[in-house]
Amino acid sequence: MDLIPAPRSVVAGSGEVRLTAHSQLHAGPGTEGVGRWLRTALWAATGLPLREGRELDDTEGDGIGLLLDPRLGPEEYRLVSDPGGVLVEGGSAAGVFWGVQTLRQLLGPAAYRRAAVEPDRIRAVPYLTIEDAPRFPWRGFMLDVARHFMPKEGVLRHLDLMAAHKLNVFHFHLTDDQGWRVRIERHPRLTEVGSWRARTKFGHRASPRWEEKPHGGFYTQDDIREIVAYAAERHITVVPEIDVPGHSQAAIAAYPELGNTDVIDTTALSVWDSWGISPNVLAPTDNTLRFYEGVFEEVLELFPSEFIHVGGDECLKDQWRASPAAQARMKELGLADEDALQSWFIGHFAKWLSARGRRLIGWDEILEGGIAEGAAVSSWRGYGGGIAAARAGHDVVMCPEQYVYLDHRQADGADEPVPIGYVRTLEDVYRFEPVPPGLDESQARRILGAQANVWTEVMEDHARVDYQAFPRLAAFAEVAWSALPAPGERDFADFEGRMAAHYRRLDALGVAYRPPAGPLPWQQRPGVLGRPLDGPPPNR
């Protein structure tokens, strides 16, 4: 079976279920939403109407049944195709939904189209039994829309792509130095001013090229509600990221009083038009805390997720060191240094979120100066931060840049567009292991899962995002879902063989992936400087 991610168990039979215009679909109690999704998707793609079956017996022989089975785990499913028809059972609606994704793969690439190219064709599902469950509860994909804005339709499309790969956490990176992307009603200048920059660096920050036109955009609160609802229908949780206290120049440009006004003239700042790490960070004042509490109050109304990401990474502390006000605040709080000041800042919001039934998650810099009780860590600078957090009793999402930063280049050839970072091939991603050695059993259980991250500094449109994400996101999805052997023992040749079929699914979905033979002419960016790093990435 050319299934991705690979299921836990497949037992093949002899024969097939033939789905026709007369086939019915029965969605049992608790699976009605999955039934609506499947009926809509298959009607559009294949022309099969899948009329409603009121009882499971209505699907006998040539139909599809969806049922809950409390004996299965929450995301576990069982798919049986036999003379009685196709039956998908799950421990919850999410489990049934993941089983339906497997069924869609069994129906062939045409099941991924938006209109039927062969509407009268009979669709066959081979007799088999598949039993499957995910390895990790957090199977994430992070999309940065702050550096290059992606309109709502593009975000919804990526949620569909995530669902097709059984990924279930969408980390929505909404704010940074280069743009603020979510409307906050009580602070309208965040989008009126902060969502637009005058021009954009084309390529890495060393590149002399500029796109000399304004770039920006933002999501209204109704846009966000739609995105969250669309994700929920696909059993995907949206985790928003609002950066504090670094990566905040767009916010300071909109509200200069948020910056360190005793060090620089913050009224002269604009939304940053280049890449890298801005020195302009939030001032550690009560006014700043109250401002962001107001931001997070609206964020909590929009996003029902347990976790709220607050960034916390790459906060340059030079302005704090030079600021008499910041130094006085440190003395008032009895803090030893600027790392402790950042820890105090993050800790404030950890307690604030906890009091409202939510949990803070941040990049591994939140460990510096002491991590707040109950906070979780996104370990991006390698394994070290995640190991330290797990040993200290904190939950961890593993997303080390050396392995699963999909903005890193995929080959070392001259045609690779805007090469960033280390070479990370499809095989490299397939051999990524989220649980590092050296953790005992209780510490290993702190690894909630893994996440692949896409930073869009050098990705000007959705086709560039597609190119960087795929096919590597398919390999990552198998790592996060399937119970694979140790990295060196994984059968990459088998995965490559299954990818041959999966490329046809991606074609049907309109994904502008990187072909195995290298970039196509229109995917190249000749002469646009990147920041390639040579040699193997450091294993830390």
Side-chain angles (χ1 to χ4, degrees), residues 282-333:
L282 298 175
T285 65
D286 288 338
N287 175 64
T288 300
L289 297 180
R290 300 293 87 77
F291 183 96
Y292 273 86
E293 286 172 359
V295 169
F296 282 117
E297 283 177 3
E298 295 192 27
V299 166
L300 296 191
E301 291 174 1
L302 296 170
F303 297 93
S305 55
E306 174 187 5
F307 287 100
I308 302 294
H309 208 293
V310 301
D313 63 314
E314 297 179 326
C315 178
L316 300 181
K317 301 176 176 68
D318 294 342
Q319 290 184 358
W320 288 352
R321 294 186 183 97
S323 165
Q327 293 299 309
R329 193 67 192 261
M330 288 170 51
K331 185 176 180 180
E332 171 195 338
L333 296 168

Side-chain angles (χ1 to χ4, degrees), residues 438-453:
L439 297 181
D440 64 29
E441 185 176 343
S442 65
Q443 294 164 353
R445 286 198 295 270
R446 288 290 183 178
I447 308 300
L448 299 178
Q451 183 170 290
N453 296 341

Side-chain angles (χ1 to χ4, degrees), residues 190-437:
L190 286 172
T191 46
E192 290 170 0
V193 174
S195 69
W196 294 90
R197 57 179 181 263
R199 61 178 185 168
T200 297
K201 177 72 74 171
F202 191 46
H204 184 253
R205 59 181 176 269
S207 170
R209 298 190 181 191
W210 293 89
E211 186 177 34
E212 296 286 354
K213 67 179 183 180
H215 175 85
F218 64 91
Y219 309 102
T220 67
Q221 295 204 351
D222 277 346
D223 289 338
I224 294 294
R225 292 184 183 98
E226 181 181 352
I227 288 167
V228 170
Y230 195 86
E233 288 175 353
R234 288 147 182 79
H235 298 275
I236 295 170
T237 299
V238 183
V239 175
E241 180 177 350
I242 305 294
D243 262 306
V244 296
H247 286 294
S248 297
Q249 184 166 325
I252 297 169
Y255 291 94
E257 66 271 21
L258 296 174
N260 295 281
T261 56
D262 57 344
V263 176
I264 63 162
D265 177 10
T266 56
T267 63
L269 292 177
S270 59
V271 178
W272 207 19
D273 58 12
S274 191
W275 315 127
I277 308 172
S278 169
N280 296 297
V281 303
L282 298 175
T285 65
D286 288 338
N287 175 64
T288 300
L289 297 180
R290 300 293 87 77
F291 183 96
Y292 273 86
E293 286 172 359
V295 169
F296 282 117
E297 283 177 3
E298 295 192 27
V299 166
L300 296 191
E301 291 174 1
L302 296 170
F303 297 93
S305 55
E306 174 187 5
F307 287 100
I308 302 294
H309 208 293
V310 301
D313 63 314
E314 297 179 326
C315 178
L316 300 181
K317 301 176 176 68
D318 294 342
Q319 290 184 358
W320 288 352
R321 294 186 183 97
S323 165
Q327 293 299 309
R329 193 67 192 261
M330 288 170 51
K331 185 176 180 180
E332 171 195 338
L333 296 168
L335 301 178
D337 55 24
E338 288 76 19
D339 284 346
L341 183 60
Q342 176 170 331
S343 177
W344 164 83
F345 200 107
I346 297 296
H348 173 87
F349 286 103
K351 293 174 184 175
W352 189 90
L353 289 168
S354 179
R356 289 154 181 81
R358 307 297 185 95
R359 292 181 63 190
L360 179 146
I361 185 169
W363 304 108
D364 55 57
E365 286 94 333
I366 69 172
L367 289 160
E368 298 166 3
I371 183 173
E373 182 180 355
V377 169
S378 300
S379 187
W380 76 275
R381 292 180 296 177
Y383 286 113
I387 292 171
R391 287 176 174 167
H394 293 268
D395 290 335
V396 175
V397 175
M398 279 293 183
C399 48
E401 64 170 329
Q402 304 92 331
Y403 299 92
V404 289
Y405 267 38
L406 301 185
D407 44 305
H408 282 212
R409 58 193 174 133
Q410 302 183 64
D412 60 2
D415 292 336
E416 207 64 33
V418 200
I420 300 295
Y422 297 100
V423 172
R424 294 287 81 186
T425 65
L426 183 66
E427 182 172 0
D428 290 330
V429 174
Y430 191 66
R431 297 193 188 281
F432 164 58
E433 172 50 48
V435 180

Side-chain angles (χ1 to χ4, degrees), residues 12 102 109 162 172 189 272 283 301 335 365 466 472 474 501:
T102 298
M162 288 180 64
F172 205 8
R189 286 176 59 83
W272 207 19
E301 291 174 1
L335 301 178
E365 286 94 333
D466 279 7
R472 293 182 296 180

Side-chain angles (χ1 to χ4, degrees), residues 8 85-86 124 225 244 367 411 484 498:
R8 180 176 66 196
V86 178
R225 292 184 183 98
V244 296
L367 289 160
L484 298 176
R498 286 182 284 122

